[in-house]
């Protein structure tokens, strides 16, 4: 009795410290990577890229399962209810795990307790873009314009990360702007090009071509430090306004997954994220990878909810 | 639910009764004149639905012209529909008829087939769901014997397994919990 | 001249063996998947998307485009044979295609649809080749006010699609608008009429409405009709291929449909649906055979198919040059390009000219392939109708279930299909037509979104709709159309009254 307990404790200690699990296949069954968006978006593409390398590098079959709806909560709820055997994972992001817990009064799942958050894949950074014709070059000019004729800005939708960012910028700068929600950033950019919008918030990398062509003026980037890719574009922070919002994405499974398996998945994902063609692909999508241990990633998810809570409440996006 | 099981039950006496009944009914697309109250039910139902949207929309708030409220569009479309419905009801009062004799057996059998598919697919997988739904859907047909219905169910469920999971690789589970 | 040389270069690209092969794979796969109810181009494209990782970008695009218009064509086969529209635009094909099939003229309807799709595709291709920059500029000039105006025009056309009581047609359009408001309000994030059901937060899925109202509703009707043996389709080989008169009757609808489709198709999102609806409504006014519309008129099959397919081709213009996907399938096209590091945008026409012109040329080859592939298949499809209905209808019901289930992998959608199926049957009893409802349902949310956006941007000034030239012109056309419709309805009533009073 005593020895079994002792063995169990040792085993647990071993697992806790086993940062050296080998990358490899972890299930004989095909793994379903649930995506919270319909096919075609960056999130979907990341999942498909991951699935492709899981199969080609490790022979781990993986299929992408798109379950869009209700800000990603449909997908998260589904995954939370699946068996924790490593055959169902979710490509998570801020929508179901960071924003939904504050946006909705009731959620069918607990963003922390119902999941095993396995590995962080990376984050992309949004920025603020304005019409060149407005002649604005910095945030002070933006404030002046907002207080003058007023500013209309486009976001990817109510409760989206760009809406919350827009609202956070408004309160940091002490201005009021007119928020015009769209369904995704593409139609917002089209209206921007048609000249009906003064400004919009969107991922920096997705707008690299427009920045180069001087079709937009990028006023500020919402990362803590300047981006390597856009060294000329200042952060909000260095212009004196403490706004930092990043759009994270990671891999999670249902709660109660086997620790060894979690370690294997973590190592496998880290291995794939370090492959040069994957790094290059992630760069073009504007996703920069930061390695986080499984414990750190779980803490990160829990912490992000609290950090964002006041911003989400301020944006008044309660969905009931 | 009671009605549903009654209609789909393999009750021979009931079946004979239906057959004699259907043989005296007008066939095909022939119009059937019905009591006025039944004839206007379509318009009345739609009117009721439109009023639900109007009331719900008012509760949501119609907002101002600049910032149209959440309820503005439902109220606008609901009101328009309500007015049109009054016109439709007036028309049906004069010239109301059903396009054909309602076939409630098929109505409930097809409903049951969908319900069974929904219920079984989630718990036991695609193959049993297709098998049971096919048999349920074929119940209103009296020319096919039970063995034929079972064979059809087996054939369709195997074929859909091969096509949708085998060839098309859709993320369904063929069967589970067995 | 420059266009011709560009097109020649494109043809060389498209004729490369691997492009030809994958174009064929695309149209083949698309057609077969499109025939399955509920499983459209979206499922087909996401299925082949991983394959495109390994292909040249042009090859990938050519294949995806092939799947896309192949599936559109396949969807019209399901519309004609089973009255199950795969896309909102093919719901218009149902209006005349399904009656033709029930008269035993399924072969002719399929033939008409194949020829009209080809004709429309060619018109779309020429328009795209000649006018791509102009179309891109047009789409770029479309702000919220212009979209609102064009959707309004589309809705007026949608009410005219109805062949029964005009009042019931309008009622169905408005009911569609109303149903479209179910779900989270895009502008405020508030839930509307969701009854607390999370699956309804994103509204009712279009596939469910189409499968329920058309597919399930019609199925319930046809069980009894076939039980009496009256409606069993007769196979008449003389009615397999269109007669000379039918060929001639198709020419003008194809040209008009293709013209309308190729211009309207360039507007992201609204394109195909509005194009088919406007084209059908216009044809119904102009056609010498207008009294037969809705009862199996070959023009009624040719015109939406032509409009739809030309719009399908020009829909690539905003996708490629503006990066604005009009549909989920088009979003996948952008995704496939992004994998290869190609960002859609105004520079694509210049920087990736081979890709653009290769795609345009592949439309020619792909549409020819589609024709070669499908004309011989018509006999097979028609024979499918010879399978006794007692085997067919349980199979169709299961196909509908699987199709609906495959969209979100959620059985809630099947419960909802059950409700819409029952509603569809009741609507049929009371002579309400589902097509205008479906059009209203598709266009309603867009209309509301653009209206509220336009009002936000104009700071609450409704005159913007009349001060911006494009929207003012569109609204003028809509008003003229309404006046014309009312005037002709009035004069028809007057004539009817005169006819009634003369004998007495």
């Amino acid at each position: 009795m005593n020895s079994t307990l002792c063995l169990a404790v040792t085993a647990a200690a071993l697992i806790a410290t086993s940062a050296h699990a080998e990358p490899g296949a972890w299930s004989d069954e095909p793994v379903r990577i649930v995506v919270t968006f319909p096919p075609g978006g960056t999130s979907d593409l990341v999942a498909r890229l991951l699935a492709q390398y899981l199969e080609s590098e490790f022979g781990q079959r993986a299929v992408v399962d798109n379950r869009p709806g209700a800000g990603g909560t449909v997908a998260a709820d589904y995954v939370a209810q699946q068996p924790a055997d490593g055959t169902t994972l979710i490509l998570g992001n801020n929508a179901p795990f960071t924003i939904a817990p504050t946006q909705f009064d009731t959620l069918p799942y607990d963003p922390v307790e119902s999941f095993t958050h396995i590995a962080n894949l990376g984050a992309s950074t949004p920025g603020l873009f304005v019409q060149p014709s407005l002649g604005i070059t910095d945030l002070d000019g933006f404030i002046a314009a907002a207080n003058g004729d007023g500013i209309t800005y486009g976001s990817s939708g109510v409760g989206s990360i760009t809406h919350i960012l827009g609202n956070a910028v408004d309160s940091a700068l002490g201005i009021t702007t007119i928020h015009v929600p769209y369904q995704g950033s593409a139609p917002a950019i089209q209206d921007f090009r048609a000249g009906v919008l003064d400004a919009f918030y969107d991922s920096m990398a997705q707008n690299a071509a427009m920045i180069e062509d001087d079709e937009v003026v990028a006023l500020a980037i919402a990362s803590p430090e300047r981006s390597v890719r856009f060294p000329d574009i200042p952060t909000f922070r260095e212009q004196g306004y403490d706004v930092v919002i990043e759009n994270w994405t990671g891999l999670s499974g249902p709660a109660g997954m086997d620790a060894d398996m979690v370690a294997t998945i973590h190592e496998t994902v880290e291995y794939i994220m370090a492959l040069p063609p994957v790094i290059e692909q992630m760069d073009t999508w504007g996703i920069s990878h930061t390695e986080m241990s499984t414990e750190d990633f779980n803490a990160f998810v829990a912490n992000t909810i609290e950090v964002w809570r006041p911003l989400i409440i301020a944006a008044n996006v309660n969905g009931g | 639910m009671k009605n549903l099981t009654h209609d789909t039950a393999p009750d021979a006496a009931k079946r004979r009764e239906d057959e004699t009944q259907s043989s005296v009914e007008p066939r095909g697309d022939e119009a059937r004149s019905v009591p006025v109250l039944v004839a206007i039910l379509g318009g009345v139902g739609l009117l009721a639905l439109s009023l639900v949207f109007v009331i719900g929309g008012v509760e949501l708030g119609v907002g101002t012209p600049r910032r149209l409220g959440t309820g503005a569009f439902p109220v606008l479309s609901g009101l328009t529909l309500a007015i049109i419905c009054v016109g439709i009801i007036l028309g049906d009062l004069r010239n109301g008829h059903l396009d054909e004799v309602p076939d409630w057996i098929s109505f409930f059998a097809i409903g049951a087939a969908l319900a069974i598919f929904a219920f079984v697919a989630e718990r036991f997988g695609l193959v049993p769901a297709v098998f049971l739904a096919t048999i349920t859907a074929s119940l209103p047909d009296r020319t096919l014997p039970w063995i034929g219905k079972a064979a059809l169910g087996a054939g369709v469920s195997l074929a859909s397994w091969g096509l949708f999971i085998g060839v098309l690789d859709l993320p369904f589970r063929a069967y589970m919990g067995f | 001249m420059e266009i011709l040389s560009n097109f020649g270069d494109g043809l060389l690209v498209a004729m490369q063996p691997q492009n030809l092969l994958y174009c064929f794979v695309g149209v083949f796969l698309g057609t077969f998947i499109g025939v399955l109810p509920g499983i459209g181009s979206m499922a087909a494209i996401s299925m082949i998307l991983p394959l495109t990782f390994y292909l040249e970008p042009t090859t990938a695009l050519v294949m995806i485009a092939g799947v896309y218009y192949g599936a559109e064509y396949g969807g019209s086969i399901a519309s004609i044979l089973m009255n199950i529209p795969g896309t909102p635009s093919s719901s218009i094909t149902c209006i005349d295609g399904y009656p033709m099939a029930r008269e035993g003229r399924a072969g002719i309807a399929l033939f008409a649809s194949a020829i009209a799709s080809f004709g429309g595709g060619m018109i779309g291709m020429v328009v795209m080749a000649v006018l791509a920059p102009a179309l891109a500029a047009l789409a770029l000039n479309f702000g919220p006010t212009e979209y609102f105006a064009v959707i309004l025009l589309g809705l007026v056309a949608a009410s005219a699609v109805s062949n029964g009581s005009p009042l019931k047609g309008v009622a169905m359009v408005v009911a569609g608008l109303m149903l479209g408001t179910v779900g989270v309000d895009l502008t405020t994030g508030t839930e509307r009429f969701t009854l607390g059901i999370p699956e309804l937060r994103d509204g009712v899925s279009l596939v469910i409405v189409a499968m329920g109202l058309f597919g399930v509703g019609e199925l319930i009707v046809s069980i009894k009709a076939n039980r009496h043996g009256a409606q069993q389709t007769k196979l008449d080989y003389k009615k397999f291929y269109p007669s000379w008169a039918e060929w001639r009757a198709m020419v003008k609808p194809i040209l008009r449909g293709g013209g309308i489709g190729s211009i309207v198709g360039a507007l992201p999102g609204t394109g195909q649906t509005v194009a088919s609806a406007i084209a059908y409504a216009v044809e119904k006014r102009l056609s010498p055979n207008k009294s037969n519309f809705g009862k199996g008129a070959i023009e009624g099959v040719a015109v939406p198919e032509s409009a739809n397919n030309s719009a399908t081709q020009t829909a690539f213009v905003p996708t490629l040059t503006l990066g604005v996907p009009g549909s989920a399938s088009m979003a996948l096209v952008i995704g496939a390009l992004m994998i290869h590091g190609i960002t859609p945008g105004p520079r694509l026409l210049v920087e990736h000219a081979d890709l653009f012109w290769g795609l345009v040329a592949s439309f020619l080859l792909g549409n020819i392939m589609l024709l070669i592939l499908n004309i011989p298949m018509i006999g097979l499809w028609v024979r499918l109708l010879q399978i006794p209905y007692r085997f067919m209808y349980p199979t169709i019901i299961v196909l509908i279930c699987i199709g609906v289930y495959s969209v979100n992998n959620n059985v809630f959608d099947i419960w909802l299909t059950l409700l819409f199926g029952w509603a569809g049957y009741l609507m049929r009893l009371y002579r309400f037509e589902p097509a205008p409802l479906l059009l209203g349902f598709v266009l309603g949310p867009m209309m509301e979104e653009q209206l509220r956006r336009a009002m936000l941007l104009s700071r609450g000034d409704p005159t913007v709709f009349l001060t911006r030239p494009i929207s003012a012109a569109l609204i003028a056309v809509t008003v003229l159309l309404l006046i014309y419709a009312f005037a002709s309805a009035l004069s028809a009533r007057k004539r009817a009254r005169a006819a009634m009073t003369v004998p007495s």
Side-chain angles (χ1 to χ4, degrees), chain A residues 65 67 69-70 181 183 190 213, chain C residues 53 139 202 347 409 449 453:
Chain A
D65 185 357
R67 289 174 184 263
Q183 294 187 67
Q190 195 206 343
D213 290 355
Chain C
F53 289 163
D202 293 317
R347 295 196 299 185
N409 296 315
E449 190 186 342
R453 194 173 286 152

